[in-house]
Amino acid sequence: MQGLKRKLVYVTFYELIGLCMSTLGLAYLSDTQASHTGPLAVMITTIAMLWNLIYNTLFEYWESRQATRGRSVARRVVHAVGFQLTLVVYLIPLIAWWLGMTLLEALMVDLAFIVLVPCYTFAYNWAFDRVFGLPRSALAAA
């Protein structure tokens, strides 16, 4: 599977799993009900889904211009960490506003996700590539 179809399948399953994790995680970390963190998790998931499509398009554009093809562990780590760190810029203010806390408190709540999500992204990408194969950008040039 390649192109837009691949990206849509990827991001849909990635974010559905992420939605479940973030609803329960935010409820636990902020000591509130999942019914209060659920809508926040939907907003986070929507932002993450849109950013995921943009980020992966930019990453694959960069990747397609590299001399070395394939997805090494180092490249997967760079992808996962880069995605999470750029996403945090959007999410910390939203979390602070929704939960009525300072930016520092929101950062503390989000620290668990800052650590967990790159690990999840790494594992998810590895599994996704195993099931669906590598994208063209990671395949050897013909």
Side-chain angles (χ1 to χ4, degrees):
M1 179 182 344
Q2 297 294 329
L4 183 59
K5 182 179 178 184
R6 176 187 172 83
K7 285 180 177 68
L8 291 174
V9 169
Y10 170 91
V11 76
T12 299
F13 286 107
Y14 179 90
E15 295 303 338
L16 284 174
I17 295 166
L19 177 62
C20 294
M21 288 182 356
S22 61
T23 297
L24 297 175
L26 284 168
Y28 175 75
L29 293 171
S30 65
D31 197 29
T32 58
Q33 298 293 319
S35 61
H36 182 65
T37 60
L40 174 59
V42 169
M43 286 186 275
I44 288 170
T45 299
T46 301
I47 292 167
M49 184 177 271
L50 291 172
W51 179 238
N52 199 318
L53 284 169
I54 294 166
Y55 183 86
N56 283 331
T57 298
L58 293 171
F59 186 85
E60 288 177 12
Y61 175 81
W62 170 83
E63 182 177 55
S64 70
R65 280 144 181 76
Q66 301 308 300
T68 304
R69 294 301 179 118
R71 293 219 170 148
S72 64
V73 171
R75 190 168 285 179
R76 289 180 188 280
V77 168
V78 166
H79 178 271
V81 171
F83 173 74
Q84 183 60 28
L85 289 179
T86 55
L87 184 61
V88 164
V89 171
Y90 303 112
L91 297 185
I92 296 298
L94 176 63
I95 292 168
W97 172 74
W98 188 267
L99 297 176
M101 55 179 58
T102 67
L103 290 174
L104 183 58
E105 290 169 328
L107 177 62
M108 298 308 288
V109 166
D110 198 42
L111 275 178
F113 291 103
I114 291 170
V115 172
L116 177 65
V117 172
C119 297
Y120 163 61
T121 301
F122 180 90
Y124 180 86
N125 286 335
W126 180 83
F128 189 88
D129 288 345
R130 287 285 190 195
V131 172
F132 294 103
L134 292 175
R136 278 188 205 97
S137 63
L139 297 173

